[in-house]
Amino acid sequence: MPTAMIIGASRGIGLELARQYAAAGWRVHATTRTPAQPGALGAIGGEVVIHALDVRHAPQLEALAQAVATEGIDVLIHNAGVAGRGMDPAEVRRINTDAPIRVAQALLPAVTRSSEKKLVLVTSQLGARRGHKGSLGLYGDSKAALNDAFRAHAPAWGRGGLVAVVMHPGWVRTDMGGAMAPLSVEESVRGMRQVIARLTPADHGRFWTWEGREHSW
Ligand SMILES: NC(=O)c1ccc[n+]([C@@H]2O[C@H](COP(=O)([O-])OP(=O)(O)OC[C@H]3O[C@@H](n4cnc5c(N)ncnc54)[C@H](OP(=O)(O)O)[C@@H]3O)[C@@H](O)[C@H]2O)c1
């Protein structure tokens, strides 16, 4: 039975990732900031293990790594993120830029122990500079900085045998994406899972969309 870990699975895209992997028969480790009130995450059938994690909280991250110290994680997806409206910019960077790298590093041994060895950091097309000069806004800048940090770590992760990518999930109807977004979480996650299933070492270190198109940086 393959194993997936979804970081930030309480709602939106992360909840649907947990739901679809569990429905496909995977063992799923799912993290939430509120494990005592798991809500819809607690109602998913199948083999789902719920863990506490605020991605800024180092002791919780250490406990999570310990909890899977004898397991392999075939697919690790760091999905947690914030739009940042009304937030302290430093907090937005901690969550959107620093945490995905720190979480990936902490869980790298478990991913390396698995068969598939896949790592997906959820980014956004709004973090693509594409010749943009100046600010992309607080959210876009935090994701552009995540993409930069990902590219800095990708060579070492690749030498460790991982297939690591950043992925844009599309514009999706969630609390973050809003009601006008064209994609449902079901469609976005179905696409993401197909792209992840097809990843090979040749795809490592690159920026993919939920539809399997390569995105420019
Ligand atoms: N929706 C879109 O159109 C879109 C487009 C491009 C990229 N994305 C990216 O896709 C990812 C998921 O977005 P979404 O639309 O599903 O957003 P969402 O509905 O707002 O859900 C965000 C998720 O991140 C979690 N989270 C936020 N801060 C956290 C923290 N400090 N520690 C742990 N978990 C935390 C939330 O947990 P709580 O419930 O505890 O707050 C929630 O599970 C994000 O990285 C986002 O930037 C989304």
Side-chain angles (χ1 to χ4, degrees), residues 160-176:
L162 259 63
V163 179
V165 303
V166 286
M167 191 173 289
H168 169 60
W171 181 19
V172 189
R173 286 191 297 280
T174 61
D175 294 338
M176 186 186 294

Side-chain angles (χ1 to χ4, degrees), residues 10-11 13 33 54-55 79 81 122-123 139 143 170-172 174:
S10 60
R11 55 196 167 96
I13 294 166
R33 290 195 275 191
D54 183 312
V55 295
N79 163 78
V122 178
T123 185
Y139 175 78
K143 293 290 193 179
W171 181 19
V172 189
T174 61

Side-chain angles (χ1 to χ4, degrees), residues 147-215:
N147 293 350
D148 292 343
F150 168 76
R151 285 193 283 175
H153 283 83
W157 289 346
R159 284 193 297 277
L162 259 63
V163 179
V165 303
V166 286
M167 191 173 289
H168 169 60
W171 181 19
V172 189
R173 286 191 297 280
T174 61
D175 294 338
M176 186 186 294
M180 299 301 288
L183 276 178
S184 67
V185 284
E186 291 83 0
E187 291 169 289
S188 166
V189 168
R190 206 177 310 123
M192 289 175 75
R193 287 180 51 242
Q194 279 170 8
V195 175
I196 293 166
R198 288 197 295 258
L199 288 175
T200 71
D203 302 317
H204 170 76
R206 294 156 74 173
F207 183 175
W208 298 99
T209 72
W210 66 283
E211 296 169 294
R213 281 184 296 108
E214 186 163 13
H215 206 290

Side-chain angles (χ1 to χ4, degrees), residues 78-200:
H78 191 288
N79 163 78
V82 288
R85 282 182 287 273
M87 287 178 66
D88 174 2
E91 282 306 297
V92 177
R93 283 191 292 271
R94 279 178 73 193
I95 296 167
N96 286 355
T97 307
D98 303 340
I101 302 295
R102 194 162 323 120
V103 168
Q105 294 282 41
L107 295 167
L108 224 55
V111 181
T112 306
R113 273 192 298 274
S114 74
S115 315
E116 295 204 22
K117 300 182 177 47
K118 291 174 180 171
L119 167 64
V120 179
L121 307 183
V122 178
T123 185
S124 170
Q125 64 183 5
L126 299 177
R129 293 196 182 89
R130 288 196 216 95
H132 235 277
K133 286 203 171 65
S135 173
L136 297 168
L138 178 55
Y139 175 78
D141 279 341
S142 72
K143 293 290 193 179
L146 169 62
N147 293 350
D148 292 343
F150 168 76
R151 285 193 283 175
H153 283 83
W157 289 346
R159 284 193 297 277
L162 259 63
V163 179
V165 303
V166 286
M167 191 173 289
H168 169 60
W171 181 19
V172 189
R173 286 191 297 280
T174 61
D175 294 338
M176 186 186 294
M180 299 301 288
L183 276 178
S184 67
V185 284
E186 291 83 0
E187 291 169 289
S188 166
V189 168
R190 206 177 310 123
M192 289 175 75
R193 287 180 51 242
Q194 279 170 8
V195 175
I196 293 166
R198 288 197 295 258
L199 288 175
T200 71

